[in-house]
Amino acid sequence: GTSIEDVAATNPEVIFTQPIDITEGLTPEGAHRMASNLGLEEGSTGHDKAVILMQNLYSMFIACDCTQVEVNPLAETPEGDIVVCDAKVNFDDNAEFRQSSIFARRDTSQEDVREVDASKYDLNYIGLEGTIGCMVN
C-alpha cells in the first residue's frame, strides 16, 4: 500500500475525491467515475467489478454505521477480478445498540490498553509521544 499522507505531500494532484450526497447516496455515475479514476478501462471486467465494489462498500458504510472505510491497496488480477488486499473499517460507537454483532467481534488485544481502559468510561484517549498534555471538553 501507499501512505496517503506521503502522496498528499509529494503529489497532491493525483488524489481523486468523489463527493457523495448523504441524502442521495453513491450514484452509478459516481461509482463509474471512481472506477475510471483507478485507471480501469471503462467497459472492462475490472471496471465493472470495481463499480460493484464501490457500491457495496458504500452500502456497507451506511448499513453498518461506519465512520471510516479505507481500502489500501486495491488490486486487479489478470482475470479482471478486483481484490481488496487490506482495509480499515471503523464503526460509530453510538450505534453499538444497532450493530451489536459487529461490536461483539471487537478484539481489544489489538488495541492500545490505555484507549481500551478509557473507552470503558466513554472517554477517548489518544497516546502521544513526548510530554504533551491535552484535556478537551
Side-chain angles (χ1 to χ4, degrees):
T2 302
S3 166
I4 190 69
E5 292 82 6
D6 293 340
V7 173
T10 59
N11 297 30
E13 69 282 354
V14 301
I15 297 175
F16 169 73
T17 302
Q18 176 62 49
I20 300 172
D21 182 334
I22 193 73
T23 61
E24 187 177 355
L26 177 61
T27 63
E29 297 80 15
H32 278 274
R33 199 172 303 112
M34 292 167 75
S36 295
N37 274 285
L38 289 173
L40 300 167
E41 185 178 329
E42 193 155 342
S44 69
T45 301
H47 188 278
D48 294 344
K49 288 185 177 185
V51 168
I52 293 168
L53 174 66
M54 300 306 165
Q55 292 168 328
N56 288 342
L57 287 171
Y58 183 77
S59 294
M60 179 189 72
F61 180 85
I62 296 299
C64 297
D65 293 297
C66 297
T67 57
Q68 175 184 16
V69 176
E70 178 183 315
V71 174
N72 188 16
L74 185 69
E76 181 182 20
T77 68
E79 298 77 30
D81 290 323
I82 300 298
V83 181
V84 173
C85 300
D86 193 14
K88 179 178 181 179
V89 181
N90 290 333
F91 304 94
D92 185 348
D93 292 336
N94 295 313
E96 184 174 359
F97 70 98
R98 276 193 305 268
Q99 306 297 341
S100 57
S101 64
I102 292 172
F103 281 83
R105 295 183 177 133
R106 182 178 179 192
D107 182 0
T108 56
S109 71
Q110 298 297 310
E111 299 178 49
D112 185 316
V113 68
R114 300 168 298 178
E115 293 177 17
V116 173
D117 288 342
S119 72
K120 293 174 187 173
Y121 302 98
D122 286 331
L123 298 171
N124 292 321
Y125 179 88
I126 300 170
L128 302 171
E129 293 182 19
T131 53
I132 299 169
C134 183
M135 182 173 282
V136 180
N137 182 355

